[in-house]
Amino acid sequence: MTDLGFLTATRDSYDALADGYTESMGIGSDLLKERPIERALCAAFAELVRAGGGGPIADVGCGPGLWTNELHRLGADVLGIDLSPGMVASARRTHPHLRFEVGSMTALDLPDGSLGGLLAAHSIIHVPWEHRPRVFAGFRRVLAPGGTLMLTFQVGDEHLHFEEAFGTPVDLDWYRQRPGEVTELLREAGFEMIAETVRQPVGREKTPQGSVLARVPPSPEVF
């Protein structure tokens, strides 16, 4: 993959925001309790992983580990992965009982077919639209047959750029997503669709919030 300068900018920005990120971004540790639809989707995702044969789950772009911890609470064997060393350090401090590693969704350092599930919760939003096919192909590679993928994102077609967030200089791009476009790209990467959801914004959110659940086709049964 070429032209990956956005990774450096995204990593450095979240490193700068890592200390006090939860407070500065207005998301408390009870985020999922305050978002019952997301909590239900997380539970459905965990159950789909079990139904598809089980296996570990990677929470890619895990940030401070809120979703990672929820998946752990649901009984999943989960690993948090984030591009920002600062965010990984914060997640480890907040959730010392969980595993977190530094890594990039553009080049996941995981064996082929090693995961039962992969979650990317509001993390593909920092990937330029043209790089999504390669990212989704990488997700497909690390998921086992029958494995489940869950993506969440802000719905829209805007590309936004921010040079400051909550008083901290950053260099961050946001790419909102159209659910239908995301599902088509996932089909092209070899996924089968399970569900799409869109809900209206709540609290400080400015746009509808979307999610996609998909799976890798299971291996054919041999008689």
Side-chain angles (χ1 to χ4, degrees):
M1 189 183 298
T2 60
D3 190 25
L4 294 181
F6 72 93
L7 292 175
T8 300
T10 303
R11 180 197 65 211
D12 292 349
S13 294
Y14 276 106
D15 278 348
L17 290 168
D19 290 339
Y21 174 87
T22 300
E23 292 78 14
S24 68
M25 299 299 283
I27 54 173
S29 59
D30 290 336
L31 172 68
L32 293 178
K33 293 181 181 179
E34 298 163 4
R35 303 287 191 273
I37 291 177
E38 276 76 5
R39 195 172 191 190
L41 285 168
C42 194
F45 168 65
E47 182 57 35
L48 285 165
V49 172
R50 284 190 285 269
I57 295 173
D59 179 7
V60 179
C62 64
L66 300 176
W67 289 79
T68 321
N69 190 58
E70 180 68 8
L71 287 167
H72 172 75
R73 189 189 68 81
L74 292 166
D77 174 14
V78 59
L79 165 68
I81 300 173
D82 200 90
L83 180 64
S84 161
M87 292 304 300
V88 167
S90 177
R92 287 171 174 166
R93 288 193 300 270
T94 306
H95 307 290
H97 57 296
L98 300 180
R99 295 176 296 145
F100 297 95
E101 295 179 0
V102 176
S104 171
M105 70 174 62
T106 63
L108 289 170
D109 187 17
L110 296 168
D112 294 1
S114 59
L115 297 178
L118 190 152
L119 168 68
H122 285 74
S123 52
I124 66 166
I125 63 172
H126 298 303
V127 176
W129 292 311
E130 65 270 20
H131 289 297
R132 290 177 299 180
R134 289 286 297 274
V135 169
F136 293 166
F139 292 171
R140 171 68 176 80
R141 177 186 67 79
V142 299
L143 281 164
T148 305
L149 172 70
M150 179 173 166
L151 308 177
T152 70
F153 44 82
Q154 296 102 341
V155 174
D157 52 19
E158 300 90 351
H159 169 203
L160 306 174
H161 180 77
F162 294 91
E163 296 181 353
E164 182 270 338
F166 301 96
T168 301
V170 296
D171 182 13
L172 274 177
D173 288 284
W174 262 262
Y175 297 86
R176 291 177 178 156
Q177 314 285 323
R178 290 293 181 187
E181 186 175 27
V182 171
T183 57
E184 183 57 33
L185 289 170
L186 289 174
R187 287 191 181 97
E188 292 172 2
F191 287 93
E192 297 177 345
M193 292 305 105
I194 298 173
E196 296 177 20
T197 70
V198 176
R199 68 159 175 79
Q200 295 307 302
V202 297
R204 297 175 58 179
E205 296 170 349
K206 299 184 184 303
T207 63
Q209 306 292 302
S211 72
V212 171
L213 283 161
R215 72 168 184 168
V216 175
S219 298
E221 294 184 8
V222 178
F223 296 94

